[in-house]
Amino acid sequence: MSTKRIMSIESNIYHRPSCKYVYFMKPSNKEKLLWEDAKRCGRPCRHCNSMSFLCSEERKTIEWNTENRNMEFKYKGGMLYVKTKVGCWKLVYARNMEQIALYHRNSRQAELDFKHPEKDRYHQQRDQLYFNNIAQALNYIYDHDKYKAAVQRGDKRIVYKNKKYKEQAKRRERKAALRRVDRLFDMIEKERLEKEQVMHG
């Protein structure tokens, strides 16, 4: 989604390019600005600076993820909830940032009731706090849950797009290797003790 904004020279309110209010402006009054510049000299439109607007704009993205990634969606209280095979997520639109904050459902809870996902507790993802659009957030969710599912299955070879999960996999492999070494030396020590018992028995 574009980071550009449209502002009328007759107003200090700026809009996303596809906002319905842009079409009411006279062409001669339209001024195209980068989001950073628009923010310095104006304030965002209440209509297009919202989660409901982004959901409408990215409807095809949501439909594609429903059909191809088996994601389920629920819009409630101005927030978009996403259910996958291994988790539940909450997309919250931060009006002051004009970006999406992503929250993950805490795992140590009762079984998910997706009719009322707002009742559960969530924590914000720390490795990437904000996203410019819904598509970016859904790609992150897909990679995250793909990694989590692979770990649960015990897959050995996984291609990681996200640096965080690649590093986690390396740490997990190192820990597993250390455990194997510990078991090896435990077996060696056990065998040594058994030989000593035989020799002194």
Side-chain angles (χ1 to χ4, degrees):
M1 187 168 288
S2 176
T3 57
K4 295 179 180 178
R5 297 293 185 266
I6 307 295
M7 180 184 284
S8 170
I9 60 175
E10 297 178 339
S11 169
N12 68 337
I13 299 174
Y14 58 86
H15 310 260
R16 294 177 186 271
S18 54
C19 178
K20 66 179 182 180
Y21 292 107
V22 170
Y23 299 100
F24 297 139
M25 296 179 190
K26 294 179 181 179
S28 58
N29 289 343
K30 291 181 183 179
E31 186 178 6
K32 294 181 180 180
L33 299 167
L34 292 173
W35 172 71
E36 295 83 357
D37 296 329
K39 194 171 183 179
R40 280 195 290 268
C41 59
R43 58 187 175 86
C45 165
R46 289 186 178 181
H47 171 68
C48 62
N49 187 35
S50 66
M51 179 61 83
S52 59
F53 179 84
L54 293 185
C55 287
S56 298
E57 282 289 286
E58 299 189 66
R59 179 174 178 173
K60 288 184 178 179
T61 296
I62 293 172
E63 290 175 348
W64 187 89
N65 279 275
T66 300
E67 294 172 6
N68 295 280
R69 291 177 170 173
N70 297 314
M71 293 182 178
E72 294 181 44
F73 295 87
K74 188 176 289 292
Y75 183 78
K76 221 167 187 184
M79 289 173 272
L80 183 65
Y81 294 89
V82 185
K83 180 186 176 185
T84 68
K85 289 183 178 180
V86 296
C88 184
W89 302 78
K90 177 172 66 173
L91 279 64
V92 180
Y93 189 74
R95 284 180 176 270
N96 60 326
M97 300 290 295
E98 296 181 50
Q99 291 181 309
I100 296 168
L102 184 62
Y103 293 79
H104 192 203
R105 180 178 181 265
N106 295 349
S107 56
R108 294 180 181 179
Q109 295 185 80
E111 188 176 345
L112 173 68
D113 175 13
F114 201 55
K115 289 182 180 179
H116 301 285
E118 75 282 0
K119 293 183 178 180
D120 289 324
R121 293 182 179 181
Y122 297 78
H123 61 273
Q124 189 172 9
Q125 291 301 101
R126 296 297 179 185
D127 58 312
Q128 188 166 348
L129 296 176
Y130 297 99
F131 298 84
N132 291 324
N133 52 54
I134 292 173
Q136 286 181 357
L138 296 183
N139 287 336
Y140 176 97
I141 289 171
Y142 178 74
D143 287 339
H144 177 283
D145 286 4
K146 184 179 179 182
Y147 163 78
K148 189 173 181 180
V151 170
Q152 290 174 350
R153 291 193 303 268
D155 289 358
K156 301 294 183 183
R157 295 180 181 178
I158 313 169
V159 177
Y160 302 102
K161 293 182 182 178
N162 189 296
K163 186 178 178 181
K164 170 189 172 183
Y165 306 133
K166 189 175 182 178
E167 290 301 318
Q168 285 183 354
K170 286 182 180 178
R171 288 197 297 271
R172 195 175 69 252
E173 288 171 4
R174 285 196 293 269
K175 287 180 180 178
L178 289 172
R179 285 195 295 270
R180 287 194 294 271
V181 171
D182 286 342
R183 286 196 295 270
L184 174 65
F185 280 97
D186 285 343
M187 290 174 64
I188 292 171
E189 180 65 12
K190 184 180 178 181
E191 187 176 278
R192 185 185 69 79
L193 291 172
E194 287 175 351
K195 284 181 178 180
E196 282 187 359
Q197 286 177 354
V198 171
M199 288 174 63
H200 297 92

